[in-house]
């Protein structure tokens, strides 16, 4: 049997103390209550969207949900610092009494709350502060189910069958009354206390070897079944409601399809209305000659449903419906035959609403207390960078806060070109990244951007939200091989017709070449008629402009400068003659440590000559200086930039045996002794120091096979930053289409 517990000065005494000091109309206690319980007066919401009518509506903490309610007040709970806080709010003056302890329940339609602590259930009448019953289940076989007035509804397993028992107190002794009228061996499915006097019981019983589903009404006063109704499939989600004239409950054709069943208690006639896709948690309430129902999972839903709104359907005219709330997360039956609901409307926001009949007999929802939180999707931008250094390998990251799950797209648009980058954001994502590339996987240009966030509530409740702003992309320093003003390298190709085409290196070599669809490859024609040149190279920023440039040598030995503009090449300018004496010419490295790009050339005698860059467009290099001999053994030399972290730019050279050698720059125009770094490099017709293709801060090499760039003959060697092993293993670039007509040259 349950144990009688000696009353103590606890919840009841604390409530009585609070009631005593608030009875004179004070909204807060004049003296401290003798426990951790406290009362406060609710305050009016301070939201900008509140209407004049709402200014007198008290507020409750965000996330507050209604549990039960009675004639004088209602029980709510919310979370603070990870713990549940329960509060009793009085109707007449809005005074909120915070209850001690961390777990409470209520008795539907009454002012009784039940404190649950260590297996003990203490009933207190909040209208008087009087403790009216207490049940100690420790050491017993009872499992609590419901709290009906001062009655404790519990299940008890007898001979492997769960039975219903109603427990009451008489002179501190526990009286156990088994519920009668439920067939022996019945399987209990669900119980519901939709009013203080009647318990709704769903069960199934085997008849001729087949389970029948039934719904029964149990009179609390007599502990006996008074009415039984045949039902279709029910389960633990079959919410129920009972009034003086009707009984309503949910049936399930499968785990996802709900049907609303309503029975007239006088005729036992049952009307069924398919509701469609339901949810594990739903609510059903009877309000006068109407039945209201809704799904309770709108706040976490990932797709819309017409059942998210609290809808009232006329029992006399089933085709007539009224939407009461846009969403609802909890509800409780009122003592006056109405209901309280935790939910919200787009117009008034979230809070606790009273559901009752209006003067016209139609149900309506009236806000009882506001949380100050909007029902519509709210998006607050936390951070978007005003500027970002694309040239330094940085990306842009946006962060925001969502009030609920939403389908979000974040689009950056380049103002000058109209080109965009769109972030694909997960359903509950609160950040988006701009990986310095456009939707076609090309590197994003520098300059001014406009961004727009569009958030569509995943549950379909309320309008979509847009937020906009601006951002500026820049490059802190010139980027070698950047011909598109993106702060990222490009790959230039000359074909046999003399046409020069710019391929975005990030797209061609990485995004589509290694990880995507090469058919998306973008091209920009930079020049035509270039078949007149026998040498072309892209040395980086060679003149006074901040953009990368191109040098060419014609067959008469004249050297030409093609200054980059950021999006094209300016008309050529002759900057030298007599350059026909050189077998190889390369650039792309600062060999002297002055921050300017230098040129190297080898003549037919094998001498290595340094042309120190000046940065002057009219005289871009100083007189040549001999810095080496014996370089005639090499058939390819390539300036790589600083690939090893030393004081100067570096150089790789390939000999006739296909061995690749590294020359580390000392920073004074000379090199340390050569280091062997590879073999088999005679398979490549082009070796280009293209710059940092993968944005890891280290220069890379691009190579083209002897066959001219078809299929897998295009490849990348990614830099490591370690002179002992300066390049990682070869990465093939899938390239099914020719880079140009006939044989092509990379530079």
């Amino acid at each position: 049997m349950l144990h009688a517990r000696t009353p103590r000065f606890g919840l009841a005494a604390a409530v009585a103390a609070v009631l005593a000091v608030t009875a004179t109309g004070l909204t807060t206690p004049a003296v401290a209550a003798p426990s951790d319980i406290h009362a406060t007066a609710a305050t009016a919401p301070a939201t900008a969207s509140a209407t004049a009518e709402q200014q007198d509506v008290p507020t409750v903490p965000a996330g507050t949900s209604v549990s039960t309610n009675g004639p004088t007040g209602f029980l709510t709970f919310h979370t603070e610092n990870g713990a549940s806080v329960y509060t009793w709010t009085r109707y007449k003056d809005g005074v909120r009494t915070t209850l001690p302890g961390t777990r409470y329940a209520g008795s539907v339609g009454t002012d009784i709350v039940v404190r649950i602590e260590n297996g003990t259930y203490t009933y207190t009448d909040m209208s008087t502060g009087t403790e009216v019953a207490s049940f100690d289940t420790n050491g017993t076989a009872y499992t609590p189910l419901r709290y009906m007035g001062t009655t404790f509804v519990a299940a008890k397993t007898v001979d492997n069958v769960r039975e219903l028992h109603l427990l009451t107190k008489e002179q501190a002794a526990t009286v156990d009354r088994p519920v009668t009228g439920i067939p022996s061996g019945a399987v209990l499915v669900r119980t519901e206390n939709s009013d203080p006097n009647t318990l709704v019981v769903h069960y199934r019983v085997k008849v001729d070897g087949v389970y029948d589903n039934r719904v029964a009404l149990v009179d609390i006063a007599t502990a006996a079944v008074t009415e039984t109704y045949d039902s279709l499939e029910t389960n633990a989600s079959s919410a129920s409601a009972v009034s003086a004239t009707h009984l309503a409950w949910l049936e399930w054709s499968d785990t996802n399809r709900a049907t609303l069943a309503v029975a007239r208690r006088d005729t036992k006639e049952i009307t069924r209305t398919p509701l469609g896709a339901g949810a594990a948690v739903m609510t059903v309430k009877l309000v006068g000659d109407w039945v209201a129902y809704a799904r309770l999972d709108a706040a976490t839903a990932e797709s819309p449903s017409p059942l998210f709104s609290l809808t009232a359907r006329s029992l006399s005219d089933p085709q007539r419906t009224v939407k009461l709330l846009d969403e609802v997360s909890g509800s409780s039956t009122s003592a006056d035959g109405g209901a309280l609901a935790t939910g919200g409307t787009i117009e008034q926001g979230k809070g606790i609403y009273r559901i009752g009949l209006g003067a016209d007999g139609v149900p309506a929802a009236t806000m009882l207390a506001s949380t100050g939180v909007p029902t519509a999707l709210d998006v607050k931008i936390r951070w978007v960078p005003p500027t970002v250094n694309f040239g330094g390998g940085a990306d842009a990251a946006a962060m925001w806060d969502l009030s609920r799950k939403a389908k979000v797209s974040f689009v950056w648009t380049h103002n000058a070109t109209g080109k965009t980058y769109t972030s694909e954001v997960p359903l509950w994502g609160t950040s988006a990244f701009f990986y310095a590339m456009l939707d076609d996987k090309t590197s994003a240009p520098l300059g001014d951007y406009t961004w727009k966030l569009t958030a569509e509530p995943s549950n379909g409740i309320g309008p979509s939200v847009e937020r906009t702003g601006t951002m500026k992309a820049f490059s802190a320093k010139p980027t070698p091989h950047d011909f598109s003003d993106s702060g990222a390298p490009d790959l230039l190709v000359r074909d046999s017709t003399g046409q020069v085409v710019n391929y975005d290196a990030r797209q061609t070599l990485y995004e589509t070449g290694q990880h995507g669809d090469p058919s998306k490859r973008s091209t920009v024609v930079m020049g035509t008629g270039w078949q007149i040149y026998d040498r072309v190279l892209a040395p980086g920023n060679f003149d006074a402009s901040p953009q990368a440039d191109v040098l060419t040598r014609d067959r008469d030995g004249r050297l030409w400068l093609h200054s980059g503009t950021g999006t094209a090449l300016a008309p050529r300018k002759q900057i030298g003659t007599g350059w026909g004496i050189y077998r190889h010419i390369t650039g792309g490295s600062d060999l002297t440590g002055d921050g300017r790009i230098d040129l190297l050339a080898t003549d037919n005698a094998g001498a290595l000559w340094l042309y120190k860059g000046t940065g002057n467009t009219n005289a871009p290099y100083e007189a040549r200086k001999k810095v080496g001999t014996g370089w005639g053994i090499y058939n390819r030399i390539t300036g790589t930039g600083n690939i090893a972290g030393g004081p100067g730019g570096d150089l790789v050279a390939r000999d006739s045996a296909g061995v690749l050698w590294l020359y580390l720059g000392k920073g004074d125009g000379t090199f340390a002794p050569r280091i062997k770094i590879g073999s088999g490099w005679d398979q490549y017709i082009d070796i280009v120091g293209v710059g940092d293709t993968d944005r890891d801060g280290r220069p890379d090499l691009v190579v083209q096979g002897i066959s001219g760039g078809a299929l897998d003959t295009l490849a990348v060697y990614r830099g490591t930053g370690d002179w002992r092993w300066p390049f990682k293993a070869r990465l093939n670039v899938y390239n099914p289409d020719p880079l140009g007509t006939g044989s092509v040259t990379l530079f």
Side-chain angles (χ1 to χ4, degrees):
M1 62 180 294
L2 271 74
H3 310 291
R5 189 172 65 84
T6 303
R8 66 179 187 272
F9 189 78
L11 173 62
V15 172
V18 172
L19 294 174
V21 297
T22 58
T24 60
L26 296 173
T27 57
T28 55
V31 296
S35 77
D36 56 349
I37 196 168
H38 62 276
T40 59
T43 58
T47 60
S49 61
T51 63
E53 181 182 355
Q54 287 179 272
Q55 292 301 314
D56 294 330
V57 175
T59 59
V60 291
T64 296
S65 296
V66 66
S67 177
T68 59
N69 62 98
T72 69
F74 55 96
L75 177 67
T76 60
F77 63 92
H78 66 279
T79 300
E80 287 184 10
N81 300 320
S84 295
V85 177
Y86 289 84
T87 303
W88 179 263
T89 301
R90 232 168 29 189
Y91 288 127
K92 70 176 182 179
D93 50 20
V95 169
R96 299 199 307 269
T97 302
T98 301
L99 307 180
T102 59
R103 188 180 174 198
Y104 280 83
S107 172
V108 170
T110 74
D111 291 327
I112 294 174
V113 300
V114 182
R115 180 173 180 174
I116 304 169
E117 186 177 31
N118 299 323
T120 299
Y121 300 80
T122 304
Y123 289 54
T124 299
D125 187 340
M126 294 300 294
S127 66
T128 62
T130 304
E131 183 178 307
V132 292
S134 180
F135 301 93
D136 186 351
T137 62
N138 290 292
T140 71
Y142 293 100
T143 301
L145 296 178
R146 301 286 173 181
Y147 315 99
M148 312 281 290
T150 57
T151 300
F152 185 81
V153 182
K156 183 177 182 181
T157 301
V158 178
D159 296 330
N160 295 322
V161 176
R162 289 180 80 223
E163 296 179 347
L164 278 178
H165 291 251
L166 306 184
L167 309 176
T168 54
K169 282 296 179 65
E170 294 184 10
Q171 298 180 348
T174 301
V175 177
D176 181 350
R177 297 179 297 154
V179 172
T180 61
I182 296 178
S184 177
V187 178
L188 298 179
V189 175
R190 178 186 173 96
T191 61
E192 188 103 38
N193 51 341
S194 61
D195 74 31
N197 303 309
T198 307
L199 179 69
V200 182
V201 180
H202 294 254
Y203 67 88
R204 61 175 59 101
V205 62
K206 187 172 288 188
V207 178
D208 297 329
V210 177
Y211 277 110
D212 286 344
N213 295 278
R214 295 175 186 171
V215 181
L217 301 184
V218 176
D219 178 48
I220 295 300
T222 63
V225 171
T226 58
E227 301 172 32
T228 303
Y229 299 83
D230 291 330
S231 172
L232 302 180
E233 182 74 21
T234 62
N235 54 37
S237 301
S238 295
S240 312
V242 64
S243 69
T245 58
H246 291 86
L247 169 65
W249 69 92
L250 290 177
E251 301 170 336
W252 300 84
S253 58
D254 56 43
T255 56
N256 296 314
R257 311 294 295 183
T259 296
L260 175 65
V262 179
R264 287 176 55 101
R265 296 182 65 180
D266 56 352
T267 65
K268 301 296 181 72
E269 178 185 357
I270 300 176
T271 301
R272 289 183 166 88
T273 304
L275 300 181
V281 181
M282 292 185 67
T283 185
V284 173
K285 291 291 179 280
L286 287 164
V287 182
D289 197 29
W290 297 73
V291 59
Y293 51 87
R295 287 175 55 164
L296 303 181
D297 60 337
T300 59
E302 298 184 358
S303 59
S305 170
L307 292 179
F308 288 149
S309 60
L310 183 63
T311 301
R313 184 179 296 272
S314 171
L315 297 179
S316 59
D317 181 7
Q319 301 304 312
R320 185 183 181 190
T321 60
V322 176
K323 185 169 79 168
L324 303 174
L325 297 173
D326 288 304
E327 68 167 58
V328 60
S329 59
S331 63
S332 173
T333 302
S334 298
D336 59 4
L340 260 59
T342 304
T345 65
I346 297 299
E347 295 77 14
Q348 292 184 287
K350 293 184 179 181
I352 298 172
Y353 287 78
R354 188 194 301 273
I355 310 299
L357 297 178
D360 57 358
V362 177
T366 304
M367 180 174 273
L368 189 63
S370 171
T371 63
V373 176
T375 299
L377 173 66
D378 186 33
V379 181
K380 290 181 172 60
I381 299 297
R382 194 186 310 170
W383 184 74
V384 180
T387 60
V388 60
N389 180 13
F390 281 178
D395 294 312
M399 301 182 69
W400 60 85
D401 295 315
L402 301 174
S403 62
R404 61 179 45 190
K405 287 184 178 181
K407 301 174 183 177
V408 180
S409 67
F410 203 100
V411 179
W412 284 267
T413 301
H414 188 241
N415 294 354
T417 64
K419 295 180 178 180
T420 60
Y421 176 75
T422 304
S423 289
E424 300 294 335
V425 183
L427 190 62
W428 194 234
T430 55
S431 62
F433 293 90
F434 186 178
Y435 293 107
M437 62 184 180
L438 302 174
D439 288 335
D440 63 0
K441 306 299 185 181
T442 59
S443 297
L446 306 178
D448 294 323
Y449 283 80
T450 300
W451 58 261
K452 181 172 73 171
L453 176 149
T454 304
E456 177 186 354
S458 61
N459 59 14
I461 298 174
S464 297
V465 176
E466 284 191 359
R467 299 285 185 267
T468 59
T470 60
M471 183 192 74
K472 187 179 187 66
F474 70 98
S475 180
K477 61 181 180 179
T479 303
H481 276 259
D482 176 16
F483 298 96
S484 57
D485 196 30
S486 65
D490 300 297
L491 181 64
L492 297 185
V493 175
R494 182 187 65 175
D495 67 14
S496 60
T497 69
Q499 180 173 258
V500 175
V501 176
N502 180 6
Y503 290 91
D504 183 270
R506 182 170 188 178
Q507 181 199 53
T508 302
L509 302 176
Y510 187 74
E511 296 293 346
T512 63
Q514 295 177 39
H515 301 288
D517 179 4
S519 66
K520 295 180 180 179
R521 195 172 57 201
S522 299
T523 60
V524 177
V525 176
M526 303 287 285
T528 57
W530 283 46
Q531 67 269 30
I532 66 174
Y533 303 119
D534 63 1
R535 291 289 185 274
V536 290
L537 64 148
N541 179 29
F542 194 64
D543 62 11
S545 69
Q547 284 82 26
D549 308 313
V550 174
L551 295 179
T552 59
R553 185 186 70 182
D554 64 25
R555 289 177 175 80
D556 293 326
R558 290 173 294 188
L559 194 65
W560 301 89
L561 170 64
H562 305 256
S563 295
T565 66
T567 57
L569 295 175
R572 70 179 185 171
K573 178 180 181 179
Q574 184 175 323
I575 59 173
T577 59
W579 283 72
I581 65 173
Y582 296 121
R583 292 180 60 194
H584 306 294
I585 306 171
T586 191
S589 288
D590 173 17
L591 303 173
T592 58
D594 61 359
R596 301 186 183 98
I597 298 299
D598 306 308
L599 293 182
L600 286 171
T602 61
D603 60 23
N604 291 326
L608 181 67
W609 299 91
L610 169 67
Y611 287 83
K612 184 178 179 181
T614 66
N616 184 340
T617 302
N618 296 318
Y621 53 85
E622 297 180 3
R624 71 177 186 172
K625 178 182 179 180
K626 189 175 182 178
V627 292
T629 59
W631 284 73
I633 64 173
Y634 299 120
N635 57 30
R636 175 71 63 178
I637 62 171
T638 301
T640 61
N642 192 328
I643 64 174
D650 306 317
L651 186 73
V652 295
R654 182 186 65 189
D655 64 24
S656 58
V659 176
L660 193 68
W661 301 89
L662 171 63
Y663 285 85
L664 295 175
K666 293 182 179 181
D668 60 359
T670 64
F671 300 95
R674 69 179 187 173
I675 303 167
K676 182 180 178 180
I677 60 172
S679 58
W681 284 69
D682 51 347
Q683 64 181 302
Y684 302 127
I685 192 172
D686 289 316
I687 302 173
V688 180
V690 72
D692 183 12
T693 64
D694 56 1
R695 305 175 76 243
D696 65 354
R698 305 182 184 98
D700 309 314
L701 286 183
V702 175
V703 296
Q704 179 190 190
I706 296 296
S707 59
L711 297 179
D712 63 351
T713 62
L714 196 63
V716 178
Y717 287 87
R718 296 169 61 187
T720 67
D722 187 341
W723 63 268
R724 294 165 297 183
W725 196 263
F727 299 109
K728 299 179 183 179
R730 165 188 167 120
L731 286 175
N732 290 337
V733 175
Y734 183 61
N735 186 45
D737 300 321
L739 294 175
T741 302
S743 62
V744 298
T745 301
L746 310 184
F747 62 98

